[in-house]
């Protein structure tokens, strides 16, 4: 991910010049992050001959098939409705704990 981010940063900064392994290495190293030359080489081999717009389009099509958790807002609404019952249940648990203390002994006595 760091290689992609550095590559896109360089591409955005100067669209007329294609980023190289050397310039990507400089950007990542300037951030204090170690560069794995082998992985960086694999990244450049994978994007060789492709344009940024093509890479972004391919990435978007791959992300479209990933579940994004669209049901979370509906679940959050249901959880909020059940939130009123949760304090009552918590109060019951606390009462039970207090009743244990009345027995005259503790867990670690």
């Amino acid at each position: 991910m760091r290689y992609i981010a550095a590559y896109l940063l360089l591409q955005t900064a100067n669209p007329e010049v294609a980023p190289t392994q050397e310039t990507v290495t400089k950007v990542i190293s300037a951030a204090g992050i170690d560069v794995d030359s082998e992985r960086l080489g694999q990244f450049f081999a994978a994007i060789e001959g492709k344009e940024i717009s093509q890479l972004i389009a391919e990435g978007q099509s791959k992300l479209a098939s990933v579940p994004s958790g669209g049901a979370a807002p509906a679940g959050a609404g249901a959880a909020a409705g059940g939130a009123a019952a949760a304090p009552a249940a918590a109060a019951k648990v606390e009462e039970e704990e207090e009743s244990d203390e009345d027995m005259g002994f503790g867990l670690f006595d």
Side-chain angles (χ1 to χ4, degrees):
M1 190 69 156
R2 68 186 82 165
Y3 306 119
I4 297 168
Y7 184 89
L8 291 173
L9 177 69
L10 288 165
Q11 183 66 42
T12 303
N14 191 356
E16 297 173 7
V17 178
T20 63
Q21 288 187 30
E22 182 181 333
T23 56
V24 169
T25 300
K26 285 181 183 179
V27 167
I28 295 172
S29 297
I33 301 171
D34 294 330
V35 176
D36 182 353
S37 299
E38 183 179 330
R39 291 196 65 172
L40 183 60
Q42 291 172 348
F43 169 72
F44 271 90
I47 65 168
E48 187 176 351
K50 297 181 181 178
E51 293 189 25
I52 294 293
S53 58
Q54 179 185 4
L55 294 170
I56 291 172
E58 287 176 13
Q60 285 178 335
S61 66
K62 289 180 182 179
L63 284 176
S65 64
V66 175
S68 62
K92 241 184 197 181
V93 171
E94 288 178 17
E95 288 175 13
E96 291 174 12
E97 290 175 7
E98 289 175 11
S99 66
D100 288 346
E101 290 178 3
D102 293 338
M103 296 174 131
F105 62 91
L107 180 63
F108 300 104
D109 289 347

